[in-house]
Amino acid sequence: MKNVLILLVLSASINTFAQGAWTQKRGEAYTQLSFSTIGSYSSIYGNPNYETEREITDNTLQLYGEYGLNNKTTLILNIPLKFIETGNLVSTTAPVTIASSNTSLGNIVMGIKRQFYNNKWVISGLLNLEANSGSFENESGIRTGIDAWSFTPTLNAGLSFKWFYAQAFTGVAFRTNDYSSSFKIGGEIGIRPIKRILVIGLIDVVKSFENGDVVLPPSNLLTGLYVNNQEYAAYSLKFVGEITNKLGVNIGIGGAFSGNNVARRQALTFGAYHKF
């Protein structure tokens, strides 16, 4: 079970994390530091697809942690630091935005997970509170997080064996400030082909209810960063190397099969974890 728990901690995708059904034991903790990068892009998923005014580079340094309050209750904290840069103009029309860069916090997430059932299958509930802790620069249109507070309850279920696990999750994100709420569902599998090597695949789907009518500045709409009604059907593939029973590293790639108001570009992630 400890090895499966390592899998679940590390299987966080670019847009989701902590969806595993398993909880930490009392007094145990995991931390992970990761860096994700979306290289220069200008194409955005939409109906139809559209271009940003300038090329955008989106990087994230993320500190994630879990702590077992007791054997069935785990506290979660995720702190993202965003490094976003806008550069060359995509079109020759008169620009509305300026080229710029911004380093700022994204949406900090605090959560609590409670295990309800554990008999072969593990079932748990997760409540995440996403803070309105991002920033916005009107001149460049750079936004580092959704301009809203989000409350997301999810239900998680998982099944594990010595060399394999599978789990799924579903929930709803409720948002303030006239941002639309959204439905989410997904699942992942993890296998251990050889000792100390883990391979993890994840599918994550988010669908907007389109029930929000927030009015965002024109400059923000021209970057497409954290605008309303973001949707995606995303995937990620991650490889984890266990250096010791408490320390490991990982590398992953993720992107979207389809979406709305999200980048049409894959992201690379590099990380390291430590178990306490």
Side-chain angles (χ1 to χ4, degrees), residues 188-242:
E188 67 180 68
I189 59 172
I191 62 173
R192 184 189 300 277
I194 60 176
K195 186 177 181 180
R196 296 194 179 278
I197 298 295
L198 311 173
V199 181
I200 302 165
L202 180 143
I203 298 294
D204 182 24
V205 177
V206 170
K207 177 66 176 178
S208 174
F209 290 135
E210 299 184 0
N211 58 347
D213 55 4
V214 61
V215 178
L216 297 173
S219 61
N220 190 187
L221 298 178
L222 289 171
T223 62
L225 292 167
Y226 297 98
V227 296
N228 198 23
N229 295 321
Q230 288 189 321
E231 301 174 323
Y232 52 81
Y235 66 89
S236 67
L237 180 65
K238 183 172 289 187
F239 300 88
V240 181
E242 296 177 344

Side-chain angles (χ1 to χ4, degrees), residues 8 30 46 49 97 109 113 122 143 148 176 180 186 201 209 215 250:
L8 293 169
Y30 285 85
N49 298 333
T97 63
V109 178
K113 186 191 301 183
V122 175
R143 188 180 293 279
T176 63
S180 294
F209 290 135
V215 178
N250 62 81

